[in-house]
Amino acid sequence: MVVKFIVGEYNVIWEALKHYEKHLQQISQTSEDEDDEILADDKLMKLECIFKDLQDSAMKDWGLELK
């Protein structure tokens, strides 16, 4: 099944992921628990792939450049 978002949905998802990215960065930088830091760093790496996929889809579907 292929999901095609509308422009507004791309923008909402992008903003939510950017907010989550800031949250994970804060955890990674301030956590005193090494396991929490490693988990946050792992999620940040996965999030970078999600950002790239979302950017590619937005450009393909609507010519929308997400930054």
Side-chain angles (χ1 to χ4, degrees), residues 4-15:
K4 185 173 179 180
F5 297 114
I6 60 173
V7 172
E9 290 170 336
Y10 274 114
N11 287 319
V12 169
I13 293 168
W14 186 259
E15 289 176 24

Side-chain angles (χ1 to χ4, degrees), residues 4-59:
K4 185 173 179 180
F5 297 114
I6 60 173
V7 172
E9 290 170 336
Y10 274 114
N11 287 319
V12 169
I13 293 168
W14 186 259
E15 289 176 24
L17 289 174
K18 284 295 189 179
H19 181 74
Y20 184 53
E21 179 184 41
K22 287 179 186 176
H23 170 72
L24 290 174
Q25 287 170 341
Q26 181 179 4
I27 291 172
S28 176
Q29 294 170 0
T30 61
S31 180
E32 294 181 13
D33 184 343
E34 187 176 343
D35 290 338
D36 288 344
E37 183 180 337
I38 290 170
L39 183 60
D41 289 341
D42 183 55
K43 288 180 181 180
L44 282 166
M45 287 189 291
K46 291 176 183 175
L47 196 55
E48 286 305 313
C49 294
I50 294 170
F51 280 132
K52 177 73 174 123
D53 290 343
L54 194 61
Q55 284 176 314
D56 292 346
S57 294
M59 182 57 73

